[in-house]
């Protein structure tokens, strides 16, 4: 059954249910945004930075990393700009003529200001993302829609915590873009309609600008498609004397990859002009730098990380965890942890560079300020020289990424237990089906899942990924599981729609 044959009545019912669920989320969280009761994000935390950037986009038409209350706001490229751009669109509903809401992101000042409207608007923007996620599911499913929607509702409800609803917004937005990119990629490959090609290009470009980890995905598509085009052309010419072969699928991937790279060039040019750097975000420089800090640990110490990052089911490791946490190499608040060392002279990369070049740099900041080219090249060199150990670290990082609740539980034992089990199940369900698609030469499923596999691989291999960053993947995997479970031929039925 194709999507155009879906019974409209269940869809309408679920659409209404979607609205009611989102209304429930709003009412359930709105008490935190009443006057003087909301919590302003910690300074320089992710949420705080996103809010500052979004306010500067609206107020000063500048993409920056500075406080929105400063008189002079300077351009920056510390974070990806798609999500703060999304937030800034909601500020048109605020009365900026009579009140400067930029003060609302400044801790210790908001308690005496009338900022509840600002934070309620942020709440609404996040509820809208949940609404879009649900609507995606309603539109796509053709059978057992109620079960599908309720499954999604359980996941999203678990993800949304009262004090962090604006904290996971980038993950919701990127998951929507991510999943739809994969769907339209399948549509593009299986259809002659050029509109699908343009939509795929739009989604891939958007995906890169909201999650820079996808930057190398079009390069991978470009290299692979070019090789296959040349290979099949040469093969056909060798056997038939003609190069008139059907390589349209590879050519479509080639076009999508090239067009996406062209569309992000203006933003890269902007960064070259302001910062003499073509990187999409400043954080890309420190990701591998921080990742290499795990090399400071021995294999034995790294092995203890599997216990440290293991799920804290019903608080079973609370006592032991409390005792080892303060001195643990993996505890980020420990001054000697991998997380803190990367900014200090005794960090692995700083020590390596000082030893190699006879320099005396004291931190990552100094290296970035004076030797950015050395910083990047040397960290790649460090990584390649330790491939065996880095592979073991990648396994640990992957393990960390799928364990959201490895820390001490705070009276949320059942919720955490359910969340961890769902996370494990969806992750390994996806990996099993991904390798099964290779074994069975299932082209549609492989193409659909490959960007997700790429994301998991890059996050485990080149970053020190925190579990919450995997919320993008968790939502994607939920989509995939429901589609694959209740519509095993979903890729073909979608492509024929």
């Amino acid at each position: 059954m194709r999507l155009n044959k879906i019974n409209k009545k269940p869809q309408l019912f679920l659409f209404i249910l979607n609205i009611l669920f989102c209304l429930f989320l709003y009412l359930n969280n709105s008490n935190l945004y009443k006057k003087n009761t909301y919590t302003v994000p910690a300074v320089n935390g992710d949420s705080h930075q996103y809010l500052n950037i979004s306010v500067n986009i609206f107020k000063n038409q500048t993409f920056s990393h500075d406080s929105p209350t400063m008189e002079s706001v300077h351009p920056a490229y510390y974070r990806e700009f798609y999500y703060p751009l999304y937030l800034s669109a909601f500020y048109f509903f605020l009365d900026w003529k009579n009140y400067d809401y930029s003060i609302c992101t400044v801790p210790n000042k908001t308690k005496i200001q009338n900022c509840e409207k600002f934070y309620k608007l942020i709440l609404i923007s996040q509820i809208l993302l949940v609404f879009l996620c649900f609507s995606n599911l309603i539109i796509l499913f053709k059978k057992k829609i109620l079960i599908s929607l309720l499954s999604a509702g359980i996941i999203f409800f678990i993800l949304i915590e009262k004090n962090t609803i604006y904290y996971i917004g980038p993950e919701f937005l990127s998951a929507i873009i991510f999943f739809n990119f994969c769907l339209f990629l399948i549509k593009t490959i299986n259809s002659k309609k050029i509109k699908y090609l343009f939509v795929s290009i739009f989604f891939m470009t958007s995906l890169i600008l909201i999650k820079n980890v996808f930057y190398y995905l079009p390069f991978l598509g470009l290299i692979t498609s070019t090789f296959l085009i040349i290979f099949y052309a040469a093969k056909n010419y060798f056997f038939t004397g003609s190069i008139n072969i059907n390589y349209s699928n590879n050519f479509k991937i080639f076009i999508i990859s090239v067009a996406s790279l062209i569309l992000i060039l203006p933003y890269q040019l902007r960064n070259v002009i302001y910062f003499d750097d073509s990187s999409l975000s400043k954080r890309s420089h420190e990701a591998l730098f921080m990742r290499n800090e795990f090399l400071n640990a021995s294999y034995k110490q790294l092995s203890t990380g599997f216990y440290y990052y293991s799920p804290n089911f019903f608080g079973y490791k609370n006592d032991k965890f409390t005792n080892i946490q303060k001195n643990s190499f993996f505890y980020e608040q420990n001054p000697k942890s991998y997380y803190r060392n990367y900014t200090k002279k005794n960090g692995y990369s700083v020590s390596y560079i000082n030893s190699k070049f006879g320099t005396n740099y004291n931190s990552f900041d100094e290296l970035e300020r004076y030797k950015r080219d050395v910083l990047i090249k040397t960290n790649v060199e460090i990584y390649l020289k330790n491939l065996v150990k880095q592979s073991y670290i990648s396994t640990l990082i992957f393990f960390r990424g799928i364990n959201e609740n490895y820390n001490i539980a705070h009276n949320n034992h059942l919720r955490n237990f359910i969340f961890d089990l769902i996370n494990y199940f969806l992750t390994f369900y996806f990996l099993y089906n991904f390798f099964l698609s290779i074994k069975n030469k299932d082209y549609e499923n492989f193409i659909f899942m490959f960007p997700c596999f790429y994301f998991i691989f890059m996050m485990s291999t080149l970053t020190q990924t925190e579990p919450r960053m995997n919320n993008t993947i968790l939502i994607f995997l939920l989509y995939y599981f429901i589609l694959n479970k209740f519509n095993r031929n979903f890729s073909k039925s979608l492509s024929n729609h």
Side-chain angles (χ1 to χ4, degrees):
M1 181 185 293
R2 297 181 184 177
L3 290 179
N4 56 357
K5 295 183 180 180
I6 296 178
N7 190 322
K8 301 299 181 181
K9 289 183 180 179
Q11 278 193 307
L12 178 61
F13 168 74
L14 292 173
F15 186 77
I16 295 173
L17 188 62
N18 181 7
I19 295 176
L20 293 176
F21 183 79
C22 290
L23 178 62
F24 164 76
L25 290 177
Y26 177 78
L27 295 175
N28 190 50
N29 288 274
S30 62
N31 64 310
L32 293 173
Y33 300 89
K34 293 179 181 178
K35 189 172 183 179
N36 297 334
T37 61
Y38 50 82
T39 302
V40 180
V43 176
N44 292 328
D46 290 359
S47 298
H48 186 256
Q49 291 170 0
Y50 279 128
L51 290 179
N52 280 347
I53 294 170
S54 66
V55 170
N56 278 327
I57 290 175
F58 177 83
K59 183 180 176 181
N60 303 302
Q61 293 76 54
T62 302
F63 179 60
S64 79
H65 181 53
D66 303 315
S67 168
T69 59
M70 295 177 64
E71 293 184 4
S72 177
V73 178
H74 304 286
Y77 68 127
Y78 186 74
R79 289 188 175 276
E80 301 91 338
F81 78 90
Y82 241 49
Y83 176 65
L85 181 65
Y86 167 80
L87 288 180
S88 68
F90 288 83
Y91 299 152
F92 285 99
F93 297 99
L94 294 174
D95 183 17
W96 289 83
K97 292 182 178 179
N98 297 316
Y99 187 78
D100 184 2
Y101 290 92
S102 61
I103 197 71
C104 295
T105 66
V106 182
N108 302 324
K109 291 186 178 181
T110 57
K111 297 300 181 183
I112 59 173
Q113 301 292 338
N114 185 29
C115 289
E116 69 275 5
K117 292 181 180 179
F118 178 83
Y119 280 96
K120 280 191 176 182
L121 197 66
I122 298 299
L123 172 64
I124 292 173
S125 73
Q126 308 310 294
I127 296 295
L128 179 60
L129 291 177
V130 179
F131 175 82
L132 292 174
C133 285
F134 280 12
S135 298
N136 241 161
L137 295 172
I138 295 170
I139 292 170
L140 293 172
F141 300 139
K142 69 177 186 179
K143 291 182 179 180
K144 300 183 180 178
I145 303 179
L146 182 58
I147 296 176
S148 304
L149 186 68
L150 291 177
S151 300
I154 292 171
I155 294 291
F156 294 139
F157 184 74
I158 290 173
L159 282 176
I160 296 171
E161 296 183 8
K162 292 181 179 180
N163 286 319
T164 60
I165 189 160
Y166 51 81
Y167 190 66
I168 59 176
E171 278 63 49
F172 273 109
L173 183 58
S174 59
I176 296 170
I177 295 173
F178 191 9
F179 194 84
N180 281 282
F181 163 69
C182 295
L183 290 177
F184 277 94
L185 184 61
I186 295 295
K187 284 176 176 284
T188 302
I189 289 173
N190 289 281
S191 174
K192 295 182 180 179
K193 295 180 180 179
I194 195 170
K195 66 179 181 179
Y196 293 142
L197 184 68
F198 286 117
V199 175
S200 295
I201 292 170
F202 169 77
F203 277 125
M204 174 171 268
T205 306
S206 301
L207 197 58
I208 295 170
L209 293 176
I210 193 173
K211 290 284 185 182
N212 290 167
V213 70
F214 288 104
Y215 175 65
Y216 295 104
L217 185 59
F219 284 102
L220 185 59
L222 178 62
I223 294 171
T224 303
S225 59
T226 301
F227 171 78
L228 290 175
I229 289 172
I230 296 174
F231 173 78
Y232 284 115
K235 179 181 177 181
N236 199 60
Y237 180 79
F238 179 79
F239 287 105
T240 66
S242 172
I243 60 173
N244 292 324
I245 61 173
N246 182 15
Y247 49 77
S248 59
N249 287 345
N250 294 320
F251 189 69
K252 289 174 183 177
I253 293 176
F254 177 88
I255 293 297
I256 293 171
S257 301
V258 171
S260 300
L261 291 172
I262 291 174
L263 287 174
I264 63 174
L265 280 178
Y267 185 66
Q268 289 183 293
L269 179 61
R270 175 255 190 194
N271 291 344
V272 169
I273 293 173
Y274 280 109
F275 315 109
D276 192 26
D277 188 357
S278 62
S279 300
L280 293 172
S281 75
K282 179 182 176 182
R283 300 187 74 204
S284 61
H285 294 150
E286 61 183 291
L288 188 57
F289 190 97
M290 190 183 299
R291 166 56 191 269
N292 283 337
E293 293 307 304
F294 280 87
L295 292 169
N296 260 329
S298 64
Y299 278 100
K300 182 178 180 180
Q301 197 171 16
L302 288 172
S303 298
T304 64
F306 288 98
Y307 173 79
Y308 187 90
Y309 293 129
S310 63
N312 190 22
F313 291 139
F314 295 101
Y316 82 95
K317 63 178 184 180
N318 277 11
D319 294 336
K320 294 181 181 179
F321 201 72
T322 302
N323 294 331
I324 69 171
Q325 191 176 50
K326 293 183 179 180
N327 298 317
S328 175
F329 175 77
F330 303 100
Y331 181 50
E332 295 181 1
Q333 301 306 316
N334 177 14
K336 296 182 180 180
S337 72
Y338 80 92
Y339 185 80
R340 299 298 171 186
N341 272 346
Y342 90 102
T343 61
K344 299 180 180 179
K345 189 172 183 178
N346 60 330
Y348 191 95
S349 294
V350 176
S351 299
Y352 183 93
I353 291 173
N354 283 337
S355 176
K356 179 177 180 179
F357 297 102
T359 54
N360 194 35
Y361 291 107
N362 290 300
S363 67
F364 166 80
D365 292 334
E366 280 193 21
L367 283 167
E368 186 183 43
R369 190 178 302 116
Y370 301 112
K371 292 290 183 180
R372 181 179 296 171
D373 55 337
V374 172
L375 176 66
I376 298 172
K377 292 178 181 178
T378 307
N379 270 289
V380 173
E381 177 185 313
I382 292 172
Y383 189 94
L384 294 176
K385 279 187 175 182
N386 297 275
L387 279 178
V388 175
K389 193 172 186 179
Q390 292 283 20
S391 299
Y392 188 67
I393 295 171
S394 294
T395 306
L396 175 62
I397 295 299
F398 171 75
F399 185 72
R400 179 190 185 185
I402 61 176
N403 288 304
E404 177 79 26
N405 300 299
Y406 68 84
N407 212 322
I408 296 176
H410 297 287
N411 301 319
N412 289 314
H413 299 306
L414 183 59
R415 170 197 172 277
N416 294 342
F417 177 71
I418 294 173
F419 181 87
D420 289 331
L421 288 184
I422 292 173
N423 204 352
Y424 267 85
F425 171 77
L426 290 176
T427 300
F428 289 103
Y429 179 87
F430 166 80
L431 292 176
Y432 170 77
N433 281 278
F434 178 77
F435 290 109
L436 193 64
S437 70
I438 298 175
K439 178 183 177 182
N440 296 336
K441 298 180 181 179
D442 186 346
Y443 184 69
E444 279 83 6
N445 264 294
F446 176 81
I447 292 296
F448 179 84
M449 292 188 289
F450 181 78
C452 184
F453 183 82
Y454 166 90
F455 186 99
I456 293 173
F457 176 81
M458 292 293 284
M459 294 293 282
S460 302
T461 303
L462 299 179
T463 76
Q464 78 295 345
T465 181
E466 297 181 21
R468 65 174 178 78
M469 296 179 183
N470 279 26
N471 286 338
T472 297
I473 290 297
L474 182 62
I475 298 170
F476 178 95
L477 296 181
L478 171 70
Y479 275 76
Y480 173 76
F481 166 72
I482 297 174
L483 279 174
N484 197 51
K485 184 67 176 176
F486 300 122
N487 185 2
R488 296 187 181 279
N489 296 316
F490 75 91
S491 59
K492 292 183 179 179
S493 65
L494 286 172
S495 66
N496 292 329
H497 175 48

